[in-house]
Amino acid sequence: MDTGRRPLWQEEPAVRPRMADPVRTAAVRAVIIVAITLIQAMVAFLSTLAGSWLAFPAVLSTVASTVVATWAVLDVWVTRQVWVQRNGVQSQPSSTARELRRERRRARRQGRRESRDGRSRVDRAAA
């Protein structure tokens, strides 16, 4: 029974394949750490403007968080590189490349057969 309404959403194939689980975990961790660092930086800046006692500890913790955030972003990059090295990139050749290889293989086999048949005929004729 068709009501004439459009569906709320339509499934579309992903343009890029999904990230590997370890890489996605590292990326989520990095985003959370960077967000917290930015919040700390804003608190440090505003408390410095207000002349609050919280300014100095906030600046110190922001500097430490910046180091940790840099480490987290580098961890995403390293995790991705390690994952690709261990598991490799799963690529499939395009159908045109596959077809060209098949044609070359056929031609090679045909050439071998012809050279083998040609020699054997000559050898038989000489004998």
Side-chain angles (χ1 to χ4, degrees), residues 48-70:
T48 301
L49 287 179
S52 171
W53 64 270
L54 190 62
F56 183 68
V59 168
L60 288 180
S61 70
T62 301
V63 170
S65 290
T66 303
V67 172
V68 172
T70 305

Side-chain angles (χ1 to χ4, degrees), residues 3-108:
T3 59
R5 286 201 228 163
R6 292 183 316 151
L8 195 54
W9 66 83
Q10 289 183 340
E11 295 287 330
E12 293 180 9
V15 178
R16 288 175 28 168
R18 187 173 164 170
M19 273 194 287
D21 286 340
V23 179
R24 191 171 47 253
T25 304
V28 168
R29 187 183 322 121
V31 166
I32 291 171
I33 290 172
V34 168
I36 290 171
T37 302
L38 289 174
I39 291 169
Q40 278 184 320
M42 186 58 67
V43 167
F45 176 72
L46 292 176
S47 55
T48 301
L49 287 179
S52 171
W53 64 270
L54 190 62
F56 183 68
V59 168
L60 288 180
S61 70
T62 301
V63 170
S65 290
T66 303
V67 172
V68 172
T70 305
W71 188 267
V73 171
L74 281 174
D75 180 47
V76 174
W77 181 68
V78 169
T79 305
R80 183 179 173 280
Q81 295 297 326
V82 167
W83 192 88
V84 167
Q85 240 179 10
R86 286 184 183 161
N87 301 302
V89 177
Q90 305 294 325
S91 64
Q92 297 176 347
S94 67
S95 58
T96 54
R98 203 175 303 134
E99 189 59 36
L100 288 172
R101 277 201 308 275
R102 281 186 194 135
E103 288 175 14
R104 274 188 251 133
R105 254 185 264 131
R106 277 189 209 120
R108 239 182 295 142

